[in-house]
Amino acid sequence: MAEKPIIIILLGPPASGKGTQADRIQEELGIPHIASGDLFRDHISRETDLGSRAKSYIDRGDLVPDQLTIDMVAERISRKDTKKGAMLDGFPRTIVQAKALDELLAKSKKELIGVLYFSVPDEVLVERLSGRRICPVCGRSYHVKFYPPEQPGVCDVDGAELYQREDDRPETVRQRLNVYREQTSPLIDYYRTRGLLIEIDGDQPIDHVTEDILSAINSL
Ligand code: AP5
Ligand code: MG
Ligand code: ZN
């Protein structure tokens, strides 16, 4: 039987571990990790037109308008490296985006096999965001306390100097959490009623979360 390309969605609040876990499982699953936030940050650093339109929303902690986001992700998932499928991190984030994705997948004959929903209490999220450090070269997330690099401030993989994301400032973090609650959390029920939701306890050590995800995916 010819298998369709598979799509897995990573759904969860800011700092719930979507990016961290995607980096750890993408090789195992053999499908690329596509993060809408990373795509926007790449546009901003290359100073593209899309980057300049998205920047003010991201800096405030608001969502970028749906259509800009949908077009960007649609283009990315049409590329050749997704012929076996993809892991979507941070998209969809509104019901409008979820419906657009349904249409896109129907057209491109890709199958959504599961939505991993990372649940983590708010106070843990705030602590994770304030200590997060990112590598500008490979995009890996570290944490000063929970996931420190071997040498402080330097990426283990490529030696680049780590930086702090601008939207990880406390005022912006509060707004991102509100936006998540209002606009993104309705997706939990959207996918639950379709039998696609897989709840992952994201408030455990990083390795345990990875084990839970792999066993959930293997039992699909
Ligand atoms: P985006 O980049 O998607 O940010 P986010 O959803 O807020 O998620 P984060 O990347 O902050 O968290 P994460 O879950 O990946 O956590 P991580 O693994 O890094 O979006 C940014 C902005 O872009 C949005 O605000 C919006 O403006 C725009 N945007 C993006 N997508 C959009 C869309 N679809 N529509 C409209 N606008 C969009 O982990 C966090 C920290 O915790 C790290 O330091 C890590 O080391 C640590 N950590 C991870 N797991 C654990 C653990 N188990 N225990 C202890 N520490 C841990
Ligand atoms: Mg992320
Ligand atoms: Zn790196």
Side-chain angles (χ1 to χ4, degrees):
M1 190 183 82
E3 283 187 22
K4 275 187 179 181
I6 57 163
I7 299 291
I8 296 172
I9 292 174
L10 309 181
L11 174 66
S16 53
K18 304 180 295 293
T20 300
Q21 296 299 331
D23 283 339
R24 297 164 73 96
I25 61 177
Q26 65 174 340
E27 243 168 78
E28 187 120 0
L29 300 182
I31 53 177
H33 166 208
I34 296 179
S36 44
D38 291 347
L39 296 177
F40 282 129
R41 283 184 288 277
D42 179 55
H43 275 277
I44 291 170
S45 72
R46 288 188 291 119
E47 299 182 350
T48 66
D49 181 46
L50 173 60
S52 73
R53 292 167 76 182
K55 189 173 185 312
S56 59
Y57 297 98
I58 294 177
D59 287 349
R60 285 197 304 271
D62 288 335
L63 295 183
V64 178
D66 283 328
Q67 204 54 50
L68 284 182
T69 309
I70 292 164
D71 291 346
M72 175 183 74
V73 175
E75 187 281 322
R76 178 64 188 84
I77 58 179
S78 70
R79 291 197 208 155
K80 279 214 187 78
D81 66 342
T82 65
K83 66 177 187 295
K84 284 190 176 164
M87 240 181 316
L88 299 181
D89 159 3
F91 180 89
R93 244 178 164 90
T94 62
I95 296 284
V96 171
Q97 292 179 18
K99 291 187 171 158
L101 179 66
D102 290 339
E103 280 177 31
L104 211 67
L105 297 184
K107 266 194 230 149
S108 60
K109 303 207 166 29
K110 292 184 165 83
E111 187 183 0
L112 176 58
I113 61 164
V115 177
L116 301 172
Y117 162 52
F118 294 71
S119 65
V120 179
D122 275 8
E123 61 282 8
V124 176
L125 299 173
V126 171
E127 202 185 357
R128 285 188 189 176
L129 286 165
S130 64
R132 170 163 61 184
R133 299 292 182 272
I134 313 267
C135 172
V137 174
C138 68
R140 228 172 223 96
S141 283
Y142 294 89
H143 192 283
V144 292
K145 192 158 120 200
F146 305 132
Y147 191 41
E150 275 163 30
Q151 227 184 307
V154 177
C155 179
D156 294 344
V157 181
D158 46 50
E161 194 182 327
L162 306 180
Y163 74 100
Q164 190 165 18
R165 253 168 64 176
E166 281 205 33
D167 60 346
D168 283 351
R169 291 183 310 253
E171 329 72 90
T172 321
V173 162
R174 270 194 299 279
Q175 176 62 5
R176 285 164 63 201
L177 291 171
N178 287 338
V179 166
Y180 171 78
R181 215 168 290 122
E182 285 163 19
Q183 302 190 53
T184 305
S185 66
L187 293 179
I188 298 169
D189 277 340
Y190 182 82
Y191 289 117
R192 185 182 279 133
T193 53
R194 292 166 58 184
L196 287 167
L197 200 79
I198 303 160
E199 187 155 350
I200 301 286
D201 176 5
D203 187 18
Q204 312 176 73
I206 292 176
D207 287 341
H208 292 201
V209 179
T210 309
E211 281 167 26
D212 284 359
I213 292 174
L214 290 174
S215 71
I217 290 176
N218 287 331
S219 64
L220 281 176

Short mmCIF file of all heavy atoms in Angstrom, two decimals, residues 134-192:
data_model
loop_
_atom_site.label_atom_id
_atom_site.label_comp_id
_atom_site.label_asym_id
_atom_site.label_seq_id
_atom_site.Cartn_x
_atom_site.Cartn_y
_atom_site.Cartn_z
N ILE A 134 18.84 31.01 22.66
CA ILE A 134 18.71 30.38 21.34
C ILE A 134 20.02 30.47 20.57
O ILE A 134 20.73 31.48 20.66
CB ILE A 134 17.66 31.13 20.49
CG1 ILE A 134 16.38 31.39 21.29
CG2 ILE A 134 17.38 30.42 19.18
CD1 ILE A 134 15.33 30.38 21.15
N CYS A 135 20.30 29.45 19.76
CA CYS A 135 21.47 29.51 18.88
C CYS A 135 21.06 30.15 17.55
O CYS A 135 20.11 29.69 16.92
CB CYS A 135 22.00 28.11 18.64
SG CYS A 135 23.30 28.13 17.38
N PRO A 136 21.77 31.20 17.13
CA PRO A 136 21.41 31.87 15.88
C PRO A 136 21.76 31.03 14.65
O PRO A 136 21.26 31.28 13.57
CB PRO A 136 22.27 33.14 15.89
CG PRO A 136 23.44 32.81 16.76
CD PRO A 136 22.95 31.81 17.77
N VAL A 137 22.60 30.02 14.81
CA VAL A 137 23.04 29.23 13.66
C VAL A 137 22.12 28.01 13.45
O VAL A 137 21.53 27.84 12.40
CB VAL A 137 24.52 28.79 13.82
CG1 VAL A 137 24.93 27.85 12.70
CG2 VAL A 137 25.41 30.02 13.86
N CYS A 138 21.96 27.17 14.50
CA CYS A 138 21.18 25.94 14.29
C CYS A 138 19.77 26.06 14.86
O CYS A 138 18.95 25.16 14.67
CB CYS A 138 21.90 24.74 14.88
SG CYS A 138 21.99 24.75 16.67
N GLY A 139 19.47 27.14 15.57
CA GLY A 139 18.10 27.35 16.05
C GLY A 139 17.76 26.61 17.33
O GLY A 139 16.63 26.70 17.82
N ARG A 140 18.72 25.84 17.87
CA ARG A 140 18.42 25.07 19.09
C ARG A 140 18.08 25.98 20.28
O ARG A 140 18.68 27.04 20.42
CB ARG A 140 19.65 24.25 19.45
CG ARG A 140 19.32 22.84 19.74
CD ARG A 140 20.55 21.96 19.91
NE ARG A 140 20.30 20.72 19.20
CZ ARG A 140 20.70 20.48 17.98
NH1 ARG A 140 21.40 21.33 17.33
NH2 ARG A 140 20.39 19.34 17.40
N SER A 141 17.13 25.52 21.13
CA SER A 141 16.81 26.25 22.36
C SER A 141 17.55 25.64 23.54
O SER A 141 17.49 24.42 23.72
CB SER A 141 15.33 26.10 22.70
OG SER A 141 14.51 26.89 21.93
N TYR A 142 18.16 26.47 24.33
CA TYR A 142 18.75 26.02 25.60
C TYR A 142 18.02 26.74 26.73
O TYR A 142 17.21 27.63 26.50
CB TYR A 142 20.23 26.38 25.66
CG TYR A 142 21.08 25.65 24.64
CD1 TYR A 142 21.27 26.18 23.37
CD2 TYR A 142 21.68 24.44 24.95
CE1 TYR A 142 22.04 25.51 22.43
CE2 TYR A 142 22.47 23.77 24.02
CZ TYR A 142 22.64 24.30 22.77
OH TYR A 142 23.39 23.64 21.84
N HIS A 143 18.34 26.35 27.96
CA HIS A 143 17.80 27.07 29.12
C HIS A 143 18.91 27.20 30.14
O HIS A 143 19.64 26.22 30.39
CB HIS A 143 16.61 26.32 29.72
CG HIS A 143 15.86 27.14 30.71
ND1 HIS A 143 16.30 27.35 32.00
CD2 HIS A 143 14.71 27.86 30.59
CE1 HIS A 143 15.45 28.14 32.63
NE2 HIS A 143 14.48 28.46 31.80
N VAL A 144 19.05 28.41 30.72
CA VAL A 144 20.18 28.63 31.64
C VAL A 144 20.16 27.65 32.81
O VAL A 144 21.21 27.26 33.32
CB VAL A 144 20.24 30.09 32.15
CG1 VAL A 144 20.60 31.04 31.01
CG2 VAL A 144 18.93 30.52 32.78
N LYS A 145 18.97 27.22 33.21
CA LYS A 145 18.89 26.33 34.37
C LYS A 145 18.48 24.90 33.97
O LYS A 145 19.08 23.92 34.39
CB LYS A 145 17.84 26.91 35.32
CG LYS A 145 17.82 26.30 36.69
CD LYS A 145 17.17 27.28 37.68
CE LYS A 145 15.92 26.68 38.32
NZ LYS A 145 15.04 27.70 38.89
N PHE A 146 17.45 24.78 33.13
CA PHE A 146 16.89 23.45 32.85
C PHE A 146 17.61 22.69 31.74
O PHE A 146 17.49 21.47 31.65
CB PHE A 146 15.41 23.57 32.46
CG PHE A 146 14.58 24.30 33.46
CD1 PHE A 146 13.71 25.31 33.07
CD2 PHE A 146 14.65 23.97 34.81
CE1 PHE A 146 12.95 25.99 33.99
CE2 PHE A 146 13.88 24.64 35.74
CZ PHE A 146 13.03 25.66 35.33
N TYR A 147 18.31 23.43 30.86
CA TYR A 147 18.94 22.75 29.73
C TYR A 147 20.15 23.56 29.30
O TYR A 147 20.20 24.10 28.20
CB TYR A 147 17.90 22.63 28.60
CG TYR A 147 18.28 21.73 27.45
CD1 TYR A 147 18.91 20.50 27.67
CD2 TYR A 147 18.00 22.10 26.14
CE1 TYR A 147 19.24 19.68 26.61
CE2 TYR A 147 18.32 21.28 25.07
CZ TYR A 147 18.94 20.07 25.31
OH TYR A 147 19.26 19.26 24.27
N PRO A 148 21.14 23.68 30.22
CA PRO A 148 22.27 24.56 29.93
C PRO A 148 23.23 23.95 28.91
O PRO A 148 23.41 22.72 28.89
CB PRO A 148 22.96 24.70 31.30
CG PRO A 148 22.55 23.50 32.08
CD PRO A 148 21.24 23.02 31.53
N PRO A 149 23.85 24.78 28.09
CA PRO A 149 24.90 24.26 27.20
C PRO A 149 26.13 23.91 28.04
O PRO A 149 26.24 24.34 29.19
CB PRO A 149 25.19 25.46 26.28
CG PRO A 149 24.79 26.66 27.06
CD PRO A 149 23.67 26.24 27.97
N GLU A 150 27.05 23.11 27.46
CA GLU A 150 28.24 22.71 28.22
C GLU A 150 29.03 23.93 28.69
O GLU A 150 29.51 23.99 29.81
CB GLU A 150 29.12 21.80 27.37
CG GLU A 150 28.67 20.35 27.45
CD GLU A 150 29.23 19.48 26.35
OE1 GLU A 150 30.34 19.77 25.88
OE2 GLU A 150 28.52 18.53 25.97
N GLN A 151 29.18 24.91 27.77
CA GLN A 151 29.89 26.14 28.11
C GLN A 151 28.85 27.26 28.13
O GLN A 151 28.14 27.42 27.12
CB GLN A 151 30.86 26.44 26.99
CG GLN A 151 32.26 26.80 27.41
CD GLN A 151 33.06 27.16 26.18
OE1 GLN A 151 33.13 26.41 25.22
NE2 GLN A 151 33.64 28.35 26.19
N PRO A 152 28.75 28.03 29.22
CA PRO A 152 27.68 29.04 29.28
C PRO A 152 27.68 29.97 28.06
O PRO A 152 28.73 30.46 27.65
CB PRO A 152 28.00 29.83 30.55
CG PRO A 152 28.89 28.94 31.36
CD PRO A 152 29.62 28.04 30.40
N GLY A 153 26.48 30.18 27.49
CA GLY A 153 26.34 31.16 26.41
C GLY A 153 26.80 30.70 25.04
O GLY A 153 26.78 31.49 24.09
N VAL A 154 27.19 29.41 24.91
CA VAL A 154 27.74 28.96 23.63
C VAL A 154 27.05 27.65 23.19
O VAL A 154 26.85 26.75 24.00
CB VAL A 154 29.27 28.70 23.76
CG1 VAL A 154 29.85 28.17 22.47
CG2 VAL A 154 29.98 29.97 24.19
N CYS A 155 26.68 27.56 21.90
CA CYS A 155 25.99 26.36 21.41
C CYS A 155 26.91 25.14 21.41
O CYS A 155 28.04 25.21 20.93
CB CYS A 155 25.47 26.62 19.99
SG CYS A 155 24.64 25.18 19.27
N ASP A 156 26.40 24.01 21.92
CA ASP A 156 27.19 22.76 21.95
C ASP A 156 27.51 22.26 20.55
O ASP A 156 28.53 21.62 20.33
CB ASP A 156 26.38 21.63 22.63
CG ASP A 156 26.13 21.90 24.09
OD1 ASP A 156 26.81 22.77 24.67
OD2 ASP A 156 25.23 21.23 24.66
N VAL A 157 26.60 22.52 19.61
CA VAL A 157 26.73 21.91 18.29
C VAL A 157 27.71 22.67 17.41
O VAL A 157 28.56 22.07 16.75
CB VAL A 157 25.35 21.84 17.59
CG1 VAL A 157 25.46 21.18 16.22
CG2 VAL A 157 24.33 21.13 18.45
N ASP A 158 27.60 24.03 17.40
CA ASP A 158 28.39 24.78 16.43
C ASP A 158 29.20 25.93 17.04
O ASP A 158 29.84 26.68 16.31
CB ASP A 158 27.48 25.32 15.32
CG ASP A 158 26.23 25.93 15.90
OD1 ASP A 158 26.36 26.77 16.81
OD2 ASP A 158 25.11 25.57 15.48
N GLY A 159 29.18 26.05 18.37
CA GLY A 159 30.02 27.07 19.01
C GLY A 159 29.53 28.51 18.88
O GLY A 159 30.21 29.43 19.30
N ALA A 160 28.33 28.71 18.28
CA ALA A 160 27.84 30.09 18.12
C ALA A 160 27.41 30.68 19.47
O ALA A 160 27.05 29.94 20.40
CB ALA A 160 26.66 30.11 17.14
N GLU A 161 27.44 32.01 19.54
CA GLU A 161 27.04 32.69 20.77
C GLU A 161 25.51 32.73 20.87
O GLU A 161 24.83 33.17 19.94
CB GLU A 161 27.60 34.12 20.75
CG GLU A 161 27.53 34.79 22.11
CD GLU A 161 28.04 36.23 22.05
OE1 GLU A 161 28.97 36.47 21.23
OE2 GLU A 161 27.50 37.08 22.77
N LEU A 162 24.97 32.28 22.01
CA LEU A 162 23.51 32.21 22.17
C LEU A 162 22.92 33.60 22.42
O LEU A 162 23.60 34.47 22.94
CB LEU A 162 23.17 31.28 23.33
CG LEU A 162 23.77 29.87 23.25
CD1 LEU A 162 23.35 29.04 24.47
CD2 LEU A 162 23.33 29.15 21.97
N TYR A 163 21.65 33.78 22.04
CA TYR A 163 20.98 35.06 22.29
C TYR A 163 19.61 34.81 22.91
O TYR A 163 19.11 33.68 22.92
CB TYR A 163 20.84 35.87 20.98
CG TYR A 163 19.78 35.36 20.03
CD1 TYR A 163 18.53 35.97 19.95
CD2 TYR A 163 20.02 34.26 19.22
CE1 TYR A 163 17.54 35.50 19.08
CE2 TYR A 163 19.04 33.77 18.34
CZ TYR A 163 17.81 34.41 18.28
OH TYR A 163 16.83 33.93 17.43
N GLN A 164 19.00 35.90 23.41
CA GLN A 164 17.67 35.81 24.00
C GLN A 164 16.66 36.36 23.01
O GLN A 164 16.90 37.43 22.42
CB GLN A 164 17.66 36.63 25.29
CG GLN A 164 16.42 36.39 26.11
CD GLN A 164 16.55 36.91 27.54
OE1 GLN A 164 17.43 37.74 27.83
NE2 GLN A 164 15.69 36.45 28.41
N ARG A 165 15.56 35.67 22.79
CA ARG A 165 14.54 36.16 21.86
C ARG A 165 13.92 37.43 22.39
O ARG A 165 13.59 37.52 23.57
CB ARG A 165 13.46 35.09 21.65
CG ARG A 165 13.54 34.44 20.30
CD ARG A 165 12.68 33.23 20.21
NE ARG A 165 11.23 33.50 20.33
CZ ARG A 165 10.31 32.55 20.20
NH1 ARG A 165 10.67 31.31 19.95
NH2 ARG A 165 9.04 32.85 20.33
N GLU A 166 13.70 38.43 21.49
CA GLU A 166 13.13 39.71 21.94
C GLU A 166 11.75 39.54 22.55
O GLU A 166 11.36 40.27 23.47
CB GLU A 166 13.04 40.68 20.76
CG GLU A 166 14.38 41.30 20.47
CD GLU A 166 14.21 42.64 19.78
OE1 GLU A 166 13.23 43.34 20.08
OE2 GLU A 166 15.07 42.96 18.95
N ASP A 167 10.97 38.59 22.03
CA ASP A 167 9.61 38.44 22.57
C ASP A 167 9.59 37.60 23.86
O ASP A 167 8.53 37.26 24.34
CB ASP A 167 8.64 37.89 21.50
CG ASP A 167 9.03 36.54 20.95
OD1 ASP A 167 10.18 36.09 21.17
OD2 ASP A 167 8.17 35.91 20.29
N ASP A 168 10.74 37.28 24.42
CA ASP A 168 10.79 36.60 25.71
C ASP A 168 10.88 37.59 26.88
O ASP A 168 11.05 37.18 28.03
CB ASP A 168 11.96 35.59 25.76
CG ASP A 168 11.64 34.31 24.99
OD1 ASP A 168 10.48 34.13 24.57
OD2 ASP A 168 12.55 33.48 24.80
N ARG A 169 10.72 38.90 26.60
CA ARG A 169 10.66 39.87 27.71
C ARG A 169 9.35 39.69 28.47
O ARG A 169 8.32 39.35 27.86
CB ARG A 169 10.69 41.31 27.17
CG ARG A 169 12.01 41.74 26.55
CD ARG A 169 11.89 43.20 26.13
NE ARG A 169 10.67 43.38 25.34
CZ ARG A 169 10.66 43.59 24.04
NH1 ARG A 169 11.76 43.67 23.37
NH2 ARG A 169 9.52 43.73 23.39
N PRO A 170 9.35 39.96 29.80
CA PRO A 170 8.17 39.66 30.61
C PRO A 170 6.87 40.27 30.10
O PRO A 170 5.84 39.61 30.08
CB PRO A 170 8.52 40.21 31.99
CG PRO A 170 10.01 40.30 32.02
CD PRO A 170 10.48 40.45 30.61
N GLU A 171 6.87 41.55 29.62
CA GLU A 171 5.59 42.17 29.17
C GLU A 171 5.04 41.42 27.96
O GLU A 171 3.83 41.17 27.86
CB GLU A 171 5.73 43.62 28.69
CG GLU A 171 6.76 44.54 29.28
CD GLU A 171 8.18 44.22 28.86
OE1 GLU A 171 8.68 44.73 27.84
OE2 GLU A 171 8.79 43.44 29.63
N THR A 172 5.93 41.05 27.05
CA THR A 172 5.49 40.37 25.83
C THR A 172 5.03 38.95 26.15
O THR A 172 4.08 38.44 25.56
CB THR A 172 6.64 40.35 24.80
OG1 THR A 172 7.31 41.60 24.85
CG2 THR A 172 6.12 40.10 23.40
N VAL A 173 5.70 38.34 27.10
CA VAL A 173 5.33 36.98 27.49
C VAL A 173 3.89 36.93 27.99
O VAL A 173 3.11 36.05 27.61
CB VAL A 173 6.31 36.46 28.59
CG1 VAL A 173 5.74 35.26 29.32
CG2 VAL A 173 7.66 36.12 27.96
N ARG A 174 3.52 37.94 28.79
CA ARG A 174 2.13 37.96 29.31
C ARG A 174 1.14 38.03 28.15
O ARG A 174 0.14 37.33 28.14
CB ARG A 174 1.92 39.15 30.25
CG ARG A 174 2.22 38.82 31.69
CD ARG A 174 1.69 39.89 32.63
NE ARG A 174 2.29 41.20 32.37
CZ ARG A 174 3.49 41.57 32.82
NH1 ARG A 174 4.19 40.75 33.59
NH2 ARG A 174 3.98 42.75 32.54
N GLN A 175 1.44 38.88 27.18
CA GLN A 175 0.55 39.01 26.02
C GLN A 175 0.50 37.70 25.23
O GLN A 175 -0.56 37.26 24.79
CB GLN A 175 1.01 40.19 25.14
CG GLN A 175 0.24 40.37 23.85
CD GLN A 175 -1.24 40.69 24.08
OE1 GLN A 175 -1.72 40.86 25.20
NE2 GLN A 175 -1.99 40.73 22.99
N ARG A 176 1.64 37.05 25.03
CA ARG A 176 1.65 35.77 24.28
C ARG A 176 0.80 34.72 24.98
O ARG A 176 0.10 33.95 24.33
CB ARG A 176 3.09 35.28 24.10
CG ARG A 176 3.86 36.09 23.05
CD ARG A 176 5.34 35.87 23.15
NE ARG A 176 5.75 34.50 22.89
CZ ARG A 176 6.90 33.98 23.29
NH1 ARG A 176 7.77 34.71 23.99
NH2 ARG A 176 7.19 32.73 23.00
N LEU A 177 0.86 34.71 26.30
CA LEU A 177 0.05 33.71 27.03
C LEU A 177 -1.45 34.03 26.89
O LEU A 177 -2.27 33.12 26.72
CB LEU A 177 0.46 33.66 28.51
CG LEU A 177 1.85 33.06 28.78
CD1 LEU A 177 2.25 33.24 30.24
CD2 LEU A 177 1.90 31.58 28.42
N ASN A 178 -1.81 35.34 26.93
CA ASN A 178 -3.22 35.71 26.73
C ASN A 178 -3.70 35.32 25.34
O ASN A 178 -4.80 34.79 25.17
CB ASN A 178 -3.41 37.23 26.86
CG ASN A 178 -3.30 37.67 28.30
OD1 ASN A 178 -3.49 36.86 29.21
ND2 ASN A 178 -2.96 38.93 28.51
N VAL A 179 -2.88 35.63 24.35
CA VAL A 179 -3.25 35.33 22.97
C VAL A 179 -3.42 33.82 22.79
O VAL A 179 -4.36 33.35 22.14
CB VAL A 179 -2.17 35.88 22.00
CG1 VAL A 179 -2.32 35.30 20.61
CG2 VAL A 179 -2.24 37.40 21.96
N TYR A 180 -2.53 33.06 23.41
CA TYR A 180 -2.66 31.60 23.32
C TYR A 180 -4.01 31.16 23.89
O TYR A 180 -4.75 30.40 23.28
CB TYR A 180 -1.52 30.90 24.08
CG TYR A 180 -1.77 29.41 24.18
CD1 TYR A 180 -1.53 28.58 23.10
CD2 TYR A 180 -2.33 28.85 25.33
CE1 TYR A 180 -1.82 27.22 23.15
CE2 TYR A 180 -2.62 27.50 25.40
CZ TYR A 180 -2.37 26.69 24.31
OH TYR A 180 -2.69 25.36 24.36
N ARG A 181 -4.33 31.68 25.08
CA ARG A 181 -5.56 31.26 25.74
C ARG A 181 -6.79 31.62 24.89
O ARG A 181 -7.67 30.80 24.70
CB ARG A 181 -5.65 31.96 27.11
CG ARG A 181 -6.29 31.11 28.16
CD ARG A 181 -6.09 31.70 29.55
NE ARG A 181 -4.73 31.64 30.01
CZ ARG A 181 -3.99 32.71 30.38
NH1 ARG A 181 -4.47 33.92 30.35
NH2 ARG A 181 -2.75 32.54 30.80
N GLU A 182 -6.79 32.85 24.35
CA GLU A 182 -7.97 33.31 23.62
C GLU A 182 -8.09 32.71 22.23
O GLU A 182 -9.16 32.35 21.78
CB GLU A 182 -7.97 34.83 23.51
CG GLU A 182 -8.34 35.48 24.83
CD GLU A 182 -7.95 36.96 24.88
OE1 GLU A 182 -7.72 37.57 23.82
OE2 GLU A 182 -7.87 37.49 26.01
N GLN A 183 -6.99 32.70 21.50
CA GLN A 183 -7.10 32.37 20.07
C GLN A 183 -6.65 30.96 19.70
O GLN A 183 -7.10 30.41 18.71
CB GLN A 183 -6.29 33.38 19.26
CG GLN A 183 -6.77 34.81 19.51
CD GLN A 183 -6.15 35.78 18.54
OE1 GLN A 183 -6.20 35.60 17.33
NE2 GLN A 183 -5.52 36.81 19.05
N THR A 184 -5.73 30.40 20.48
CA THR A 184 -5.18 29.10 20.08
C THR A 184 -5.80 27.93 20.85
O THR A 184 -6.04 26.86 20.27
CB THR A 184 -3.65 29.10 20.23
OG1 THR A 184 -3.12 30.21 19.50
CG2 THR A 184 -3.02 27.82 19.71
N SER A 185 -6.11 28.14 22.14
CA SER A 185 -6.60 26.99 22.91
C SER A 185 -7.91 26.39 22.38
O SER A 185 -8.15 25.20 22.59
CB SER A 185 -6.70 27.33 24.40
OG SER A 185 -7.67 28.30 24.61
N PRO A 186 -8.78 27.15 21.64
CA PRO A 186 -9.94 26.48 21.05
C PRO A 186 -9.58 25.32 20.10
O PRO A 186 -10.40 24.45 19.82
CB PRO A 186 -10.65 27.60 20.28
CG PRO A 186 -10.24 28.86 20.98
CD PRO A 186 -8.83 28.62 21.44
N LEU A 187 -8.32 25.30 19.63
CA LEU A 187 -7.92 24.20 18.75
C LEU A 187 -7.88 22.86 19.48
O LEU A 187 -7.95 21.80 18.86
CB LEU A 187 -6.55 24.48 18.14
CG LEU A 187 -6.48 25.65 17.16
CD1 LEU A 187 -5.06 25.83 16.65
CD2 LEU A 187 -7.41 25.39 15.99
N ILE A 188 -7.74 22.91 20.80
CA ILE A 188 -7.69 21.66 21.56
C ILE A 188 -8.98 20.88 21.31
O ILE A 188 -8.96 19.70 20.97
CB ILE A 188 -7.48 21.96 23.07
CG1 ILE A 188 -6.14 22.68 23.27
CG2 ILE A 188 -7.53 20.68 23.89
CD1 ILE A 188 -5.97 23.26 24.67
N ASP A 189 -10.12 21.57 21.45
CA ASP A 189 -11.39 20.89 21.22
C ASP A 189 -11.63 20.59 19.74
O ASP A 189 -12.23 19.57 19.41
CB ASP A 189 -12.56 21.72 21.76
CG ASP A 189 -12.73 21.48 23.25
OD1 ASP A 189 -12.24 20.44 23.73
OD2 ASP A 189 -13.34 22.33 23.93
N TYR A 190 -11.16 21.49 18.90
CA TYR A 190 -11.31 21.28 17.45
C TYR A 190 -10.73 19.92 17.05
O TYR A 190 -11.34 19.15 16.30
CB TYR A 190 -10.59 22.41 16.72
CG TYR A 190 -10.69 22.39 15.21
CD1 TYR A 190 -11.81 22.90 14.55
CD2 TYR A 190 -9.65 21.86 14.44
CE1 TYR A 190 -11.88 22.89 13.16
CE2 TYR A 190 -9.72 21.85 13.05
CZ TYR A 190 -10.84 22.37 12.42
OH TYR A 190 -10.92 22.37 11.05
N TYR A 191 -9.55 19.61 17.59
CA TYR A 191 -8.92 18.34 17.22
C TYR A 191 -9.38 17.18 18.11
O TYR A 191 -9.42 16.04 17.67
CB TYR A 191 -7.39 18.48 17.24
CG TYR A 191 -6.89 19.34 16.10
CD1 TYR A 191 -6.24 20.54 16.32
CD2 TYR A 191 -7.10 18.94 14.77
CE1 TYR A 191 -5.80 21.33 15.26
CE2 TYR A 191 -6.66 19.73 13.71
CZ TYR A 191 -6.02 20.92 13.95
OH TYR A 191 -5.60 21.68 12.91
N ARG A 192 -9.77 17.50 19.34
CA ARG A 192 -10.24 16.42 20.22
C ARG A 192 -11.51 15.79 19.66
O ARG A 192 -11.64 14.57 19.61
CB ARG A 192 -10.48 16.94 21.64
CG ARG A 192 -10.85 15.84 22.60
CD ARG A 192 -11.13 16.35 24.00
NE ARG A 192 -9.93 16.58 24.77
CZ ARG A 192 -9.68 17.69 25.49
NH1 ARG A 192 -10.57 18.67 25.53
NH2 ARG A 192 -8.56 17.82 26.16
#
